[in-house]
Short mmCIF file of all heavy atoms in Angstrom, two decimals:
data_model
loop_
_atom_site.label_atom_id
_atom_site.label_comp_id
_atom_site.label_asym_id
_atom_site.label_seq_id
_atom_site.Cartn_x
_atom_site.Cartn_y
_atom_site.Cartn_z
N THR A 14 0.15 16.01 -11.24
CA THR A 14 0.05 14.65 -11.76
C THR A 14 -1.09 14.53 -12.77
O THR A 14 -0.94 13.91 -13.82
CB THR A 14 -0.14 13.66 -10.60
OG1 THR A 14 0.97 13.78 -9.71
CG2 THR A 14 -0.23 12.23 -11.08
N ILE A 15 -2.24 15.12 -12.47
CA ILE A 15 -3.37 15.09 -13.39
C ILE A 15 -3.02 15.84 -14.67
O ILE A 15 -3.32 15.39 -15.79
CB ILE A 15 -4.63 15.68 -12.73
CG1 ILE A 15 -5.10 14.75 -11.59
CG2 ILE A 15 -5.74 15.90 -13.74
CD1 ILE A 15 -6.17 15.35 -10.71
N PHE A 16 -2.35 16.97 -14.53
CA PHE A 16 -1.94 17.78 -15.68
C PHE A 16 -0.99 17.00 -16.58
O PHE A 16 -1.12 17.00 -17.80
CB PHE A 16 -1.30 19.07 -15.16
CG PHE A 16 -0.79 19.99 -16.23
CD1 PHE A 16 -1.67 20.70 -17.03
CD2 PHE A 16 0.57 20.15 -16.42
CE1 PHE A 16 -1.20 21.55 -18.01
CE2 PHE A 16 1.04 21.00 -17.38
CZ PHE A 16 0.16 21.71 -18.19
N ILE A 17 -0.01 16.33 -15.97
CA ILE A 17 0.97 15.56 -16.74
C ILE A 17 0.30 14.39 -17.45
O ILE A 17 0.64 14.07 -18.59
CB ILE A 17 2.10 15.06 -15.82
CG1 ILE A 17 2.95 16.23 -15.37
CG2 ILE A 17 2.96 14.01 -16.50
CD1 ILE A 17 3.59 17.01 -16.49
N GLU A 18 -0.68 13.76 -16.81
CA GLU A 18 -1.36 12.64 -17.45
C GLU A 18 -2.11 13.10 -18.71
O GLU A 18 -2.17 12.38 -19.70
CB GLU A 18 -2.33 11.98 -16.47
CG GLU A 18 -2.93 10.70 -17.00
CD GLU A 18 -3.79 9.99 -15.97
OE1 GLU A 18 -4.45 10.67 -15.17
OE2 GLU A 18 -3.79 8.76 -15.98
N LYS A 19 -2.63 14.31 -18.68
CA LYS A 19 -3.35 14.82 -19.85
C LYS A 19 -2.41 15.25 -20.98
O LYS A 19 -2.85 15.42 -22.10
CB LYS A 19 -4.24 15.99 -19.43
CG LYS A 19 -5.35 15.55 -18.49
CD LYS A 19 -6.34 16.63 -18.25
CE LYS A 19 -7.40 16.24 -17.26
NZ LYS A 19 -8.12 15.03 -17.54
N LEU A 20 -1.11 15.43 -20.69
CA LEU A 20 -0.14 15.84 -21.71
C LEU A 20 0.64 14.65 -22.25
O LEU A 20 1.81 14.78 -22.61
CB LEU A 20 0.83 16.86 -21.11
CG LEU A 20 0.26 18.22 -20.76
CD1 LEU A 20 1.30 19.08 -20.08
CD2 LEU A 20 -0.28 18.91 -21.99
N HIS A 21 0.01 13.49 -22.35
CA HIS A 21 0.74 12.28 -22.76
C HIS A 21 1.23 12.33 -24.21
O HIS A 21 2.08 11.54 -24.59
CB HIS A 21 -0.11 11.04 -22.52
CG HIS A 21 -1.40 11.00 -23.29
ND1 HIS A 21 -1.91 12.07 -23.96
CD2 HIS A 21 -2.28 10.01 -23.50
CE1 HIS A 21 -3.04 11.74 -24.53
NE2 HIS A 21 -3.30 10.50 -24.26
N ASN A 22 0.73 13.24 -25.02
CA ASN A 22 1.17 13.32 -26.42
C ASN A 22 2.41 14.20 -26.60
O ASN A 22 2.92 14.29 -27.70
CB ASN A 22 0.04 13.86 -27.30
CG ASN A 22 -1.12 12.91 -27.39
OD1 ASN A 22 -0.93 11.70 -27.30
ND2 ASN A 22 -2.30 13.44 -27.54
N HIS A 23 2.86 14.83 -25.55
CA HIS A 23 3.99 15.75 -25.65
C HIS A 23 5.26 15.12 -25.08
O HIS A 23 5.20 14.17 -24.31
CB HIS A 23 3.68 17.06 -24.92
CG HIS A 23 2.46 17.75 -25.44
ND1 HIS A 23 2.35 18.20 -26.74
CD2 HIS A 23 1.29 18.08 -24.85
CE1 HIS A 23 1.18 18.77 -26.92
NE2 HIS A 23 0.51 18.70 -25.78
N ASP A 24 6.40 15.69 -25.45
CA ASP A 24 7.70 15.19 -25.02
C ASP A 24 7.95 15.49 -23.54
O ASP A 24 7.77 16.64 -23.09
CB ASP A 24 8.79 15.83 -25.88
CG ASP A 24 10.17 15.27 -25.58
OD1 ASP A 24 10.25 14.13 -25.11
OD2 ASP A 24 11.15 16.00 -25.82
N ASN A 25 8.37 14.47 -22.77
CA ASN A 25 8.64 14.64 -21.34
C ASN A 25 9.69 15.69 -21.06
O ASN A 25 9.57 16.47 -20.12
CB ASN A 25 9.11 13.31 -20.74
CG ASN A 25 7.98 12.44 -20.29
OD1 ASN A 25 6.87 12.90 -20.12
ND2 ASN A 25 8.27 11.17 -20.12
N LEU A 26 10.74 15.70 -21.84
CA LEU A 26 11.84 16.63 -21.62
C LEU A 26 11.39 18.08 -21.79
O LEU A 26 11.72 18.95 -20.98
CB LEU A 26 13.00 16.31 -22.55
CG LEU A 26 14.31 17.01 -22.28
CD1 LEU A 26 14.80 16.69 -20.88
CD2 LEU A 26 15.34 16.61 -23.30
N ILE A 27 10.61 18.34 -22.81
CA ILE A 27 10.12 19.70 -23.06
C ILE A 27 9.14 20.13 -21.98
O ILE A 27 9.19 21.25 -21.48
CB ILE A 27 9.48 19.79 -24.46
CG1 ILE A 27 10.57 19.60 -25.52
CG2 ILE A 27 8.76 21.11 -24.66
CD1 ILE A 27 10.05 19.48 -26.92
N ILE A 28 8.26 19.22 -21.57
CA ILE A 28 7.30 19.54 -20.50
C ILE A 28 8.04 19.88 -19.21
O ILE A 28 7.76 20.88 -18.54
CB ILE A 28 6.33 18.36 -20.26
CG1 ILE A 28 5.41 18.19 -21.45
CG2 ILE A 28 5.52 18.57 -19.00
CD1 ILE A 28 4.58 16.93 -21.39
N THR A 29 9.02 19.05 -18.85
CA THR A 29 9.77 19.28 -17.62
C THR A 29 10.55 20.58 -17.69
O THR A 29 10.56 21.36 -16.73
CB THR A 29 10.72 18.10 -17.36
OG1 THR A 29 9.96 16.90 -17.32
CG2 THR A 29 11.46 18.26 -16.06
N LYS A 30 11.18 20.85 -18.81
CA LYS A 30 11.95 22.08 -18.98
C LYS A 30 11.04 23.30 -18.85
O LYS A 30 11.35 24.23 -18.11
CB LYS A 30 12.64 22.10 -20.33
CG LYS A 30 13.37 23.40 -20.65
CD LYS A 30 13.82 23.47 -22.09
CE LYS A 30 12.72 23.51 -23.07
NZ LYS A 30 12.08 24.77 -23.33
#
Side-chain angles (χ1 to χ4, degrees):
T14 301
I15 292 169
F16 178 71
I17 290 300
E18 188 175 34
K19 294 189 184 305
L20 292 176
H21 62 348
N22 293 330
H23 302 299
D24 185 26
N25 273 342
L26 191 59
I27 293 172
I28 292 171
T29 304
K30 175 191 65 82

